[in-house]
């Protein structure tokens, strides 16, 4: 692998421990994937923030890097294990909170912005078409590649942090034109609801595995529908890029784009995916929206559907702090909270220690949220429309 003089210096330790460790990680990765060289990146987005997932070992590693490391490019963080302001109110144990703050402090020392969201593109970290970046939250990666036309591989937390510290990532995979072409065309039924897009994503992810699907027949989905589709795709398969006919930037530039393989998906299969992600006869402990973190539009829809009714069940909506402060300015948060909804930041029910909060079952409109709640946290789940979630919440 060819390294510039500057990169060699980092590898030899001339820029300190953190830069050296980071370059070692990137060179090892580059060798595995046969990258010829590094490419400079515009931003990084780093997962592995919840103390629940990092544990003591992860925290030690971060503290060591933070002794002399500093990021070279704008870098933002994925959600952590709790709302940094309201953690006591939602029942997070004191000891967990203490460790979580230590993790955040280490990242801050490294110069990473504590945005604590999986939707950095709704919080100011918005890459441009063709930008090379190193992101590590799967739903954000697929959104950046597909909807924004930026270029990132599916980084892990450590490689994204290493890329942030060195300002580089190995040039392979989705950084290269050839690997961005569609591998399969999916002819889809026209969908209306966000949870249907999420289920289609889940279904297509299973089908495509780590390929690049090109969807035809979807019409013009909204930003939130694309977000839901991508999150479903990325959680069920290893998908990191999709194209939507007439919608996403790379197919707009190259409308002749096509794949050799084609498959037809009908609405019955989408329904099957919804049923698969729903346990029967469930009275959920928690109704939640915001996987990936919700937008202003989703908050508005939820409030309008409540139509002045108070929730009777624990109902949480997860957003970035950036979206929350915009929503505060227009009175949305006050209206939702006055009806009993909690709008939480910095975390989500997947990375928070949710079982410790007495939650054993959830209802959500996110395929990813349902899948991880069931498979990672062992909860009973229900995937349903936002209309049904609101009815569930006020029941
Ligand atoms: Fe975000 Fe948590 Fe879902 S990090 S994509 S809300 S699993």
């Amino acid at each position: 692998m060819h390294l510039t003089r500057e990169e060699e210096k980092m590898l030899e330790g001339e820029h300190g421990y953190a830069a050296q460790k980071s370059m070692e990680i990137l060179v090892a990765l580059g060798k595995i994937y046969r990258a010829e060289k590094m490419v400079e990146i515009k931003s990084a987005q780093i997962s592995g923030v919840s103390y629940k997932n990092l544990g003591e070992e992860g925290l030690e590693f971060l503290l060591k890097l933070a002794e002399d490391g500093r990021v070279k490019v704008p870098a933002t963080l994925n959600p952590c294990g709790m709302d940094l302001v309201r953690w006591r109110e939602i029942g997070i144990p004191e000891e967990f909170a203490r460790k979580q703050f230590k993790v955040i402090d280490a990242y801050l020392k490294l110069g990473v912005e504590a945005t604590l969201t999986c939707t950095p593109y709704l919080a100011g970290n918005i890459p441009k078409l063709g930008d090379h970046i190193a992101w590590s939250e799967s739903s954000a990666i697929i959104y950046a590649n597909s909807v924004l036309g930026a270029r990132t591989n599916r980084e892990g937390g450590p490689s994204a942090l290493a890329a942030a510290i060195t300002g580089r990532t190995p040039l392979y995979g989705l950084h290269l034109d050839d690997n961005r072409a569609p591998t399969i065309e999916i002819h889809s039924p026209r969908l209306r609801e966000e949870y249907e897009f999420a289920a289609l994503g889940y279904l297509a992810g299973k089908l495509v595995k780590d390929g690049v699907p090109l969807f035809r027949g979807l019409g013009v989905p909204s930003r939130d529908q694309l977000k839901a589709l991508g999150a479903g795709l990325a959680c069920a398969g290893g998908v990191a890029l999709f194209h939507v006919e007439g919608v996403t930037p790379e197919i707009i530039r190259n409308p002749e784009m096509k794949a050799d393989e084609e498959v037809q998906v009908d609405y019955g299969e989408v329904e099957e995916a919804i049923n698969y992600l729903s346990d029967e006869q469930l009275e959920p402990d928690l109704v939640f929206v915001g996987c990936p973190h919700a937008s202003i539009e989703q908050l508005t829809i939820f409030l309008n559907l409540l139509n002045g009714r108070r929730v009777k069940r624990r109902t949480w909506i997860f957003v970035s702090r950036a979206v929350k402060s915009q929503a505060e300015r227009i009175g949305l948060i006050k209206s939702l909270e006055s009806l009993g909804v909690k709008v939480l930041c910095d975390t989500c029910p997947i990375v928070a220690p949710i079982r410790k909060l007495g939650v054993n079952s959830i209802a959500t409109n996110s395929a990813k949220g349902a899948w991880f709640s069931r498979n990672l946290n062992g909860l009973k789940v229900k995937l349903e429309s936002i209309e049904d979630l609101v009815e569930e919440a006020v029941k």
Side-chain angles (χ1 to χ4, degrees), residues 190-209:
R190 198 57 80 83
L191 303 175
R192 205 174 64 89
E193 299 276 350
E194 215 176 285
Y195 84 121
E196 296 171 330
F197 280 86
L200 171 66
Y202 179 81
L203 165 71
K206 287 260 173 240
L207 202 75
V208 175
K209 300 195 174 63

Side-chain angles (χ1 to χ4, degrees), residues 78-79 118 137 139 231 290-293 347-351 366 368-369 372:
N78 218 33
C118 47
E137 153 56 38
S139 69
C291 173
H293 279 174
T347 188
C348 80
I350 315 306
V351 295
S366 162
K368 177 176 180 178
F372 275 104

Side-chain angles (χ1 to χ4, degrees), residues 81 89-92 277 279 282-291 302 311-318 340-344 347-366 369-370 372-374 377 379-386 388-395:
E89 195 186 318
I90 57 170
I92 297 286
L277 290 168
D279 292 309
L282 187 68
E283 285 295 325
D285 295 330
L286 172 70
V287 169
F288 98 85
V289 172
C291 173
F302 203 90
V311 300
K312 300 209 178 87
R313 214 183 281 273
R314 199 159 13 167
T315 303
W316 293 349
I317 305 182
F318 294 85
V341 177
K342 280 199 196 310
V343 183
L344 299 170
T347 188
C348 80
I350 315 306
V351 295
I354 197 79
R355 300 293 290 265
K356 290 196 174 134
L357 310 182
V359 174
N360 293 307
S361 55
I362 56 119
T364 180
N365 59 348
S366 162
F372 275 104
S373 294
R374 179 191 277 165
N377 292 336
L379 308 186
K380 293 270 183 224
V381 300
K382 203 188 234 178
L383 176 64
E384 54 191 0
S385 68
I386 196 149
D388 287 342
L389 287 180
V390 168
E391 295 313 313
E392 198 93 65
V394 297
K395 219 166 36 185

Side-chain angles (χ1 to χ4, degrees), residues 47-65:
S47 63
V49 191
S50 173
Y51 180 73
K52 174 179 159 225
N53 304 332
L54 271 181
E56 210 46 35
E57 221 172 291
L59 174 57
E60 290 303 318
F61 177 66
L62 273 181
L63 290 171
K64 180 81 187 129
L65 288 183

